[in-house]
Amino acid sequence: MNYQWNWGLLLRAPYAGWLLTGLGWTVALSIAGWLIALPLGTTIGIARTSSSRWVLRLSGFYVSVFRNIPLLLQMFVWFFVVPELLPAKLGLWFKRDLPAPEFWTAVLALGFYTSGRLAELFRAGLQAVPRGQRMAADATGMNRAQALRYVVMPQALRIILPPLTSEFMSIVKNSSLALTIGVLELTAQSRQIENFTFHGFEAFGAATAFYVLVALVLNLVMVCLQRTLALPVAV
Amino acid sequence: MPDYSFIVRNASFLFDGLLLSLTLTLIGVIGGLAVGTALALVRLFTGVIGNYAVDAYVFVFRAIPLILVIFWFYFMVPLILGRPVGAWTSAIVAFTLFEGAYYSEILRAGLKSVRAGQLNAALAGGMSRAQALRYVIFPQAFAAMIPIFLTQAIILFQDTSLVFVVSLHDFLTATTIIANRDGRLIEAYAFACLVYYLICLAATAGVEKLKRTFAR
Amino acid sequence: MFVRKISLLTVVVAALLPALAGAQEADTALARIQQNKAVTIGFRESAAPFAYLNESKQASGYSIDICNRIAQEIGRKLNIPHIETRYVPVTPQTRIPLIANGTVDIECGTTVNSLGRQEQVDFSYAVALAEGRLLVKKTSGIQDLSDLNGKIVALAAGTTAERYVRAALDRNKINVRVLQVRDNAEGLLAVNSQRVDAFVNDAVLLGGVLRTAPNKDDLAIVGKPLSFEQVAFMVGKNNSGLLTIVNGTIARLLASGELHRLYDQWITPYGVPIEGEVDTLFKIEAIAE
């Protein structure tokens, strides 16, 4: 094995900057994707508990499409296929004129993929809230929307908080797939450093450390949130 | 005009890709189960240090993206073995160790789901700890875990598409190669979506059926 | 709890690292070849005409033909009759690590020699020259680098193109946005789908892309060469024995004229014949016995 170790290189310009911008893109991808996934996932999740047959079928199909196709393939579809199916002008705008088209394409792919997973999570959470809660809300004269908003959803959210956190961790990890369509996020930057310096071990080590750090921070945030939101009585 | 004839012409190339994806999934499940079981046993039979070591292993593997794991092992495996190995071997090692972290968590949850009273009853009945685990706890835990194992296997099948980044010819990579060569991206990716969708849908339906069988 | 986990991790990592560094032995590749009775050649799957997967999914191309002759020569030198040749696909991202970690004995693709890379690997004599040029749509009207201001350019990830293009753009104060693509096929796709205005790469590689493009009449390779670089084979560091055989084979193939024949067969049809700098290079490298 002919390999020269040089950990100091990671702190040198421009590589330190590359890693940090990479981390920045990873965070941006994750948050932007999450902002699409959360409202979509919540809506579809509620639809999954609907009593209407058609709403159930449609939302079920939505979830099964986004969950049964690998994210990498979904990313390729958003990047290579969708712009070609749009009207020519819009497609061109999507490919070129949008600031950072690769980034937004990846955000869409991440957002829709994650929304399918969140929908299942919300469905499970909503169904886990005891029926009596909904009935009690009915009895106090709330309509269904009010019951959902003020009684069922707050409890469901508390139930799914831990898996919701791990879904956010998943989106952070999944954002690495954006490198296949040219977004220079953390994993891509570490590979770029490896390519320029041929010090792959140091570069991948740094990326690993950043991901572990992000996971640790997320874990702490979740623990704090759980404490803050905990109800005086057990749900 | 959509033209799907190139898929028929390249059917054997695509099929080889699909076969590679499925083989990698199978190896990942078996290897991951083995590693996961080993980790669970370390947790059960060693003290604090062993527990922390397993915790750290699981935490790190669950914190970093699979792509990064694949890159790591692509370089590390030949280094550790001290002889040249191809992308295939490295991918197997990466998937096995990566899945091991997830399977060990599933195992732990499954073992926890068996009530403590069962263990106490077995011990009181004169069984050793190992016997109690072997004959009382594991069979029950295993039955509870099988659907989760299979669901994880479906996720793994989808994840095998990531070997794309080390130019192993799985189904997605094979699709991409012929898509680029024939300039038929839309049709090729539509076809790939359909294949993945149908396989995963069928597998999920199978797992659901199994779940109902076990729930009886 | 997390603090404890992390400190434990640090200890584990710190304990592992020195073990990985290992000792530096000389000529490990030759020892490996002797032991396996096989030469492992790293090749590119879509870098025609240097190295690519042909219709029957086998490695072929200019670099592959030369390396097969090198493998035979290694077999003769090591007294291994019927030496086996194994092929491992590599990408621009994986070729350097695969050489460094010994997965691949010789990389036979289109790798450009650079001082930075020489820190981790050694290079053979050059077998061709790389000239960076632009692949564009004819309708775009782009003729040279100066026409690219405000445009979007595709560069293949992990190649030296990125560095010389950036340098040339800075020199001429041209402002472009860069899209990284994975390989030549994707670069062509980016041009065709109007995602980018030009794809910058080595002229021979672009010629290869152009030949197989379904719409080759709409495309053109334009611009003055942005750079001259040596295309060479890579071997691991501290493998002077292997490198001597590799270079000796190249020199003999040049002296006998066989390399010229291979070049004319593979490279000349792509629009870069043996003249000018290439001709001089081949004369200089035909070192006498």
Side-chain angles (χ1 to χ4, degrees):
Chain A
M1 172 64 199
N2 301 315
Y3 194 83
Q4 319 294 325
W5 294 93
N6 182 3
W7 289 91
L9 148 138
L10 294 174
L11 302 173
R12 277 211 314 259
Y15 309 119
W18 289 4
L19 279 174
L20 288 178
T21 48
L23 182 65
W25 281 118
T26 293
V27 171
L29 280 167
S30 313
I31 291 177
W34 191 253
L35 290 180
I36 291 178
L38 198 58
L40 258 178
T42 317
T43 314
I44 307 286
I46 294 169
R48 295 280 283 142
T49 62
S50 158
S51 50
S52 150
R53 220 169 168 203
W54 277 106
V55 174
L56 264 183
R57 267 199 196 151
L58 269 177
S59 57
F61 181 66
Y62 178 97
V63 170
S64 90
V65 164
F66 286 105
R67 279 173 58 109
N68 285 324
I69 296 171
L71 173 57
L72 188 56
L73 180 53
Q74 290 188 32
M75 205 154 282
F76 287 174
V77 169
W78 284 103
F79 192 70
F80 294 116
V81 178
V82 170
E84 308 304 325
L85 298 179
L86 293 173
K89 267 208 166 137
L90 189 63
L92 221 52
W93 177 81
F94 196 64
K95 284 188 285 193
R96 304 177 50 107
D97 301 331
L98 196 69
E102 305 85 65
F103 171 77
W104 290 109
T105 309
V107 166
L108 280 175
L110 277 172
F112 276 90
Y113 174 78
T114 309
S115 77
R117 298 168 57 103
L118 290 190
E120 277 307 274
L121 204 57
F122 274 99
R123 179 187 63 81
L126 290 171
Q127 287 172 347
V129 176
R131 280 181 97 89
Q133 296 282 335
R134 214 181 271 258
M135 293 176 190
D138 268 351
T140 58
M142 286 187 183
N143 63 29
R144 288 188 58 169
Q146 285 173 322
L148 186 68
R149 164 75 183 79
Y150 295 106
V151 179
V152 182
M153 195 50 107
Q155 298 183 54
L157 270 176
R158 284 178 175 82
I159 296 171
I160 65 171
L161 185 63
L164 208 56
T165 319
S166 80
E167 278 305 322
F168 190 78
M169 250 180 78
S170 293
I171 207 173
V172 172
K173 289 184 282 176
N174 286 335
S175 70
S176 64
L177 270 63
L179 73 89
T180 58
I181 58 169
V183 182
L184 291 175
E185 47 64 69
L186 186 52
T187 304
Q189 291 286 14
S190 68
R191 198 165 61 158
Q192 176 114 322
I193 293 176
E194 182 268 323
N195 168 45
F196 270 59
T197 65
F198 314 117
H199 286 281
F201 294 95
E202 293 89 333
F204 291 135
T208 302
F210 273 128
Y211 281 113
V212 169
L213 193 71
V214 169
L216 285 171
V217 170
L218 278 176
N219 258 311
L220 281 178
V221 169
M222 182 192 78
V223 171
C224 291
L225 262 181
Q226 249 175 333
R227 280 201 193 125
T228 325
L229 295 177
L231 295 173
V233 287
V235 174
Chain B
M1 272 296 103
D3 175 7
Y4 287 89
S5 61
F6 71 100
I7 290 172
V8 180
R9 267 186 280 123
N10 291 290
S12 78
F13 189 57
L14 288 172
F15 187 74
D16 286 348
L18 188 58
L19 217 55
L20 190 141
S21 298
L22 291 168
T23 314
L24 193 54
T25 307
L26 191 69
I27 295 174
V29 168
I30 295 169
L33 258 177
V35 173
T37 311
L39 290 175
L41 288 177
V42 169
R43 269 214 173 103
L44 282 170
F45 289 106
T46 61
V48 184
I49 300 284
N51 250 311
Y52 276 130
V54 174
D55 274 354
Y57 177 94
V58 171
F59 189 85
V60 170
F61 269 98
R62 297 196 348 151
I64 66 176
L66 181 54
I67 289 194
L68 193 54
V69 177
I70 293 172
F71 283 149
W72 262 125
F73 284 95
Y74 202 42
F75 308 129
M76 297 260 288
V77 169
L79 183 69
I80 290 166
L81 292 183
R83 63 185 174 80
V85 290
W88 172 243
T89 314
S90 300
I92 289 174
V93 174
F95 275 91
T96 299
L97 294 180
F98 183 80
E99 288 301 310
Y102 284 81
Y103 278 119
S104 90
E105 282 299 278
I106 298 172
L107 277 164
R108 184 159 82 151
L111 289 176
K112 267 191 183 160
S113 74
V114 181
R115 284 194 310 271
Q118 300 266 354
L119 181 64
N120 291 336
L123 292 176
M127 282 185 181
S128 72
R129 203 177 146 79
Q131 282 175 323
L133 285 172
R134 164 76 183 77
Y135 295 107
V136 179
I137 308 295
F138 279 169
Q140 295 185 54
F142 209 66
M145 285 180 288
I146 278 186
I148 308 171
F149 278 147
L150 294 176
T151 308
Q152 180 66 23
I154 298 171
I155 296 172
L156 172 60
F157 173 62
Q158 295 190 18
D159 281 347
T160 57
S161 62
L162 297 188
V163 296
F164 180 83
V165 296
V166 288
S167 55
L168 256 186
H169 287 184
D170 74 310
F171 183 61
L172 182 56
T173 311
T175 309
T176 304
I177 289 173
I178 64 159
N180 277 328
R181 200 170 49 206
D182 292 25
R184 293 257 166 223
L185 269 90
I186 298 176
E187 293 96 327
Y189 285 136
F191 175 72
C193 282
L194 190 70
V195 170
Y196 274 112
Y197 180 74
L198 291 179
I199 292 178
C200 294
L201 201 65
T204 312
V207 174
E208 287 299 319
K209 204 172 163 205
L210 210 73
K211 250 189 215 166
R212 283 196 294 276
T213 318
F214 273 109
R216 272 189 320 210
Chain C
M1 185 178 75
F2 296 124
V3 177
R4 256 180 299 180
K5 268 184 198 168
I6 283 306
S7 50
L8 188 91
L9 247 178
T10 319
V11 172
V12 170
V13 170
L16 273 174
L17 287 180
L20 294 176
Q24 299 222 352
E25 290 162 49
D27 272 318
T28 46
L30 276 188
R32 213 162 44 222
I33 293 168
Q34 183 93 57
Q35 192 191 345
N36 298 333
K37 303 205 184 320
V39 180
T40 309
I41 289 177
F43 76 102
R44 297 278 297 279
E45 289 180 309
S46 66
F50 287 96
Y52 65 101
L53 274 184
N54 66 12
E55 282 298 311
S56 49
K57 307 288 176 301
Q58 280 183 328
S60 59
Y62 176 64
S63 297
I64 301 295
D65 275 1
I66 300 174
C67 279
N68 283 335
R69 285 165 173 77
I70 291 172
Q72 295 309 315
E73 186 61 26
I74 293 171
R76 266 193 294 280
K77 282 267 158 44
L78 297 184
N79 283 323
I80 308 169
H82 313 298
I83 191 163
E84 190 194 336
T85 318
R86 294 179 190 154
Y87 300 95
V88 173
V90 300
T91 66
Q93 291 84 34
T94 59
R95 57 191 168 182
I96 306 256
L98 287 181
I99 281 283
N101 68 18
T103 304
V104 163
D105 297 320
I106 311 172
E107 193 258 3
C108 301
T110 58
T111 304
V112 159
N113 190 343
S114 77
L115 294 178
R117 288 173 172 175
Q118 287 183 19
E119 283 180 18
Q120 292 282 22
V121 294
D122 280 333
F123 284 90
S124 72
Y125 292 164
V127 293
L129 286 182
E131 319 172 342
R133 298 184 74 195
L134 313 171
L135 177 75
V136 298
K137 277 201 161 178
K138 280 182 183 159
T139 51
S140 72
I142 294 171
Q143 290 300 328
D144 212 341
L145 202 64
S146 53
D147 297 327
L148 287 178
N149 211 358
K151 297 276 170 49
I152 309 172
V153 172
L155 293 172
T159 62
T160 48
E162 167 127 23
R163 266 166 286 180
Y164 67 69
V165 170
R166 285 207 189 276
L169 295 172
D170 287 346
R171 237 187 352 259
N172 299 298
K173 302 205 165 30
I174 295 166
N175 186 24
V176 302
R177 197 163 70 74
V178 167
L179 171 70
Q180 276 208 356
V181 293
R182 243 182 359 255
D183 52 23
N184 296 328
E186 216 174 80
L188 170 69
L189 183 67
V191 172
N192 270 337
S193 60
Q194 289 174 273
R195 197 177 277 281
V196 300
D197 301 290
F199 175 38
V200 183
N201 213 333
D202 163 38
V204 177
L205 291 183
L206 290 182
V209 172
L210 193 60
R211 273 159 62 107
T212 51
N215 60 333
K216 50 169 147 306
D217 296 333
D218 305 337
L219 300 164
I221 297 169
V222 299
K224 287 190 289 288
L226 295 169
S227 61
F228 284 109
E229 294 175 299
Q230 295 189 10
V231 175
F233 305 142
M234 288 194 288
V235 300
K237 274 275 174 209
N238 294 326
N239 283 292
S240 59
L242 176 61
L243 195 58
T244 307
I245 300 176
V246 172
N247 284 338
T249 312
I250 294 173
R252 287 191 190 105
L253 289 174
L254 277 168
S256 71
E258 190 172 358
L259 202 119
H260 298 74
R261 195 180 58 70
L262 290 175
Y263 190 99
D264 277 335
Q265 177 194 339
W266 289 106
I267 311 291
T268 304
Y270 288 78
V272 189
I274 308 180
E275 51 188 43
E277 284 85 358
V278 180
D279 187 40
T280 314
L281 176 79
F282 281 2
K283 279 178 180 142
I284 292 169
E285 284 184 346
I287 294 171
E289 292 291 333

